[in-house]
Amino acid sequence: MIILGSTGSIGVNTLAIAKKFNLNIEVLVAGSNIALLNKQIKEFNPSLVIIKDAKDIPKVDFKNVLSGQDAIIQMIQNSSSKVVVNALVGFFGLLPTITAIKCGKKVALANKESLVVAGKFIDTTMINPIDSEHFGLWYLLDNKKIDSLTITASGGSFRDTPLEKLKDVTIKEALNHPNWAMGNKITIDSATMTNKLFELVEARWLFDTTKCDAIIEPKSIIHAMVNFTDGSTTAHIANANMQLPIAYALLGKLDEQILPPVDLLKLQNLEFKKIETSRYPIWDIKDELLQNDNMGVVLNGANEIAVEAFLDGKVGFLDIAKISLDTINKFHNIKINSLDDIFEANKNIREYSKALI
């Protein structure tokens, strides 16, 4: 097995499943958390390690270490592993997804940007979704005829913050998620609700329907709902832990318990809230994003630039959505006809968004 992003939360949980079921780890790919990577190397003894920056190679306690995206692509092409766990962050994860599928490998996908920007060019039959929302939808479908899909959102760091205070929130406050401890970018994306837009686009490609929506469920116990044509709805309820979808993505079938079952008597006061554009302005483009399969690359590129600027203290929190919406308006009529178009568009989109800053 290949793990792209071994030191992030998905990677750590994947390795926990690998240890539990004695799965072989051929390659570990990591970013800058070399201390954790060294511990993983010692425990799982991979054949190859790839890191982000060549300057960090001397810090890695391993003989066979490479760096950069080219090394990742060549490794996927030459590896014997049948499964690639892609937990890389951002647009950087697209080429590894495409390469793995071209090589006939199954992709356990946590890199949502792959489907957001290039879903119409990706064979989703080669993908097992890791996100808990999409895993919940897959788990529920079971060949019934569906009408629509609903996933849930936590509401992010500012779900209860008075609207008039949003313009002045700090980076530290934005990174303080009420339910999760995640990476910086995905925590900000959760606060703006951009992450949930990404997940709707993922669902659109994975389950072949544009009738996708989301609602806020603050406890994050209900992950997804399938609304059937007969008027009934079924929900996927599970304690929040990424090891369940990861285990299914890697093993296909499970006959033993991965998580403690939900005690329904202890849940108390489950509630659902509408995602309001007054708090989450980016939600205004939800329907356009689902209907126009060229818009994913625009939103992703603009958002990555805007979030980076916010984390660098160059723009305010509300400017993230403003930059994304302005960029989407600029590239509203963009046409994407090939993977080459995606990479060219991504470059132009990022340049425009940077100019806004």
Side-chain angles (χ1 to χ4, degrees):
M1 178 168 52
I2 298 165
I3 302 179
L4 310 181
S6 69
T7 57
S9 61
I10 296 294
V12 168
N13 279 293
T14 299
L15 288 172
I17 291 296
K19 183 177 181 179
K20 180 179 179 70
F21 292 98
N22 195 30
L23 303 177
N24 180 61
I25 305 299
E26 182 183 5
V27 183
L28 293 176
V29 176
S32 57
N33 191 346
I34 306 301
L36 178 55
L37 175 62
N38 282 332
K39 293 180 181 178
Q40 294 175 343
I41 291 169
K42 185 175 180 180
E43 182 170 4
F44 293 95
N45 192 31
S47 301
L48 174 65
V49 171
I50 302 177
I51 60 174
K52 183 178 180 181
D53 294 321
K55 63 179 177 61
D56 289 328
I57 289 178
K59 303 176 186 176
V60 181
D61 297 334
F62 199 66
K63 292 182 179 180
N64 195 10
V65 185
L66 301 175
S67 66
Q69 188 175 66
D70 288 346
I72 295 173
I73 300 306
Q74 291 173 16
M75 171 273 295
I76 293 172
Q77 293 170 335
N78 297 326
S79 73
S80 60
S81 293
K82 302 298 184 183
V83 176
V84 177
V85 178
N86 187 351
L88 297 173
V89 176
F91 190 81
F92 186 78
L94 173 59
L95 266 182
T97 296
I98 294 169
T99 303
I101 291 174
K102 284 183 177 179
C103 292
K105 301 178 188 298
K106 277 284 186 179
V107 180
L109 187 67
N111 175 257
K112 60 197 65 186
E113 290 84 359
S114 291
L115 288 175
V116 169
V117 306
K120 64 181 177 179
F121 301 110
I122 290 176
D123 179 3
T124 56
T125 64
M126 298 297 290
I127 290 176
N128 289 325
I130 283 180
D131 274 344
S132 58
E133 294 84 357
H134 304 98
F135 167 72
L137 295 173
W138 169 82
Y139 194 89
L140 291 170
L141 283 172
D142 193 27
N143 297 318
K144 299 181 181 73
K145 189 172 182 180
I146 67 167
D147 176 68
S148 61
L149 307 176
T150 304
I151 60 176
T152 60
S154 66
S157 305
F158 304 121
R159 66 189 182 198
D160 299 317
T161 302
L163 293 178
E164 64 273 12
K165 293 186 177 181
L166 288 179
K167 62 182 177 64
D168 298 318
V169 297
T170 67
I171 297 171
K172 182 178 180 180
E173 289 170 332
L175 293 174
N176 184 26
H177 194 283
N179 293 10
W180 318 111
M182 305 181 293
N184 288 355
K185 181 181 180 293
I186 194 172
T187 303
I188 302 302
D189 286 349
S190 176
T192 63
M193 205 56 73
T194 301
N195 180 61
K196 206 53 53 176
L197 284 180
F198 284 176
E199 290 177 354
L200 290 184
V201 176
E202 280 189 278
R204 176 252 188 275
W205 293 113
L206 287 168
F207 303 106
D208 193 27
T209 178
T210 58
K211 295 181 70 175
C212 307
D213 208 345
I215 57 175
I216 294 173
E217 191 277 280
K219 284 186 167 60
S220 296
I221 287 291
I222 296 178
H223 303 285
M225 290 167 275
V226 176
N227 309 303
F228 298 104
T229 53
D230 61 9
S232 65
T233 297
T234 306
H236 183 248
I237 302 174
N239 283 308
N241 188 308
M242 295 305 297
Q243 291 188 22
L244 183 64
I246 290 170
Y248 271 95
L250 298 181
L251 301 167
K253 181 182 179 181
L254 287 175
D255 294 318
E256 62 182 273
Q257 183 174 308
I258 299 296
L259 305 179
V262 174
D263 187 342
L264 296 176
L265 295 177
K266 292 182 178 178
L267 278 183
Q268 307 274 331
N269 302 321
L270 271 180
E271 60 177 333
F272 303 95
K273 299 179 180 180
K274 183 180 179 180
I275 299 174
E276 301 284 359
T277 55
S278 57
R279 183 175 299 278
Y280 308 102
I282 200 68
W283 204 248
D284 192 50
I285 64 165
K286 173 180 72 72
D287 292 334
E288 178 184 4
L289 193 65
L290 287 169
Q291 296 297 330
N292 186 343
D293 55 21
N294 296 317
M295 283 294 99
V297 66
V298 182
L299 177 59
N300 182 73
N303 180 66
E304 286 192 14
I305 295 299
V307 171
E308 182 180 1
F310 172 70
L311 291 173
D312 288 342
K314 296 177 180 178
V315 300
F317 176 73
L318 292 179
D319 292 321
I320 299 174
K322 290 178 182 178
I323 291 168
S324 292
L325 291 171
D326 191 321
T327 305
I328 286 168
N329 184 58
K330 170 69 175 179
F331 291 88
H332 179 77
N333 294 317
I334 194 171
K335 300 298 181 185
I336 303 293
N337 297 311
S338 68
L339 284 170
D340 287 340
D341 288 349
I342 287 179
F343 286 94
E344 180 64 24
N346 179 63
K347 178 182 175 182
N348 296 332
I349 289 158
R350 289 167 185 267
E351 288 176 354
Y352 180 82
S353 298
K354 286 180 180 177
L356 293 176
I357 297 167

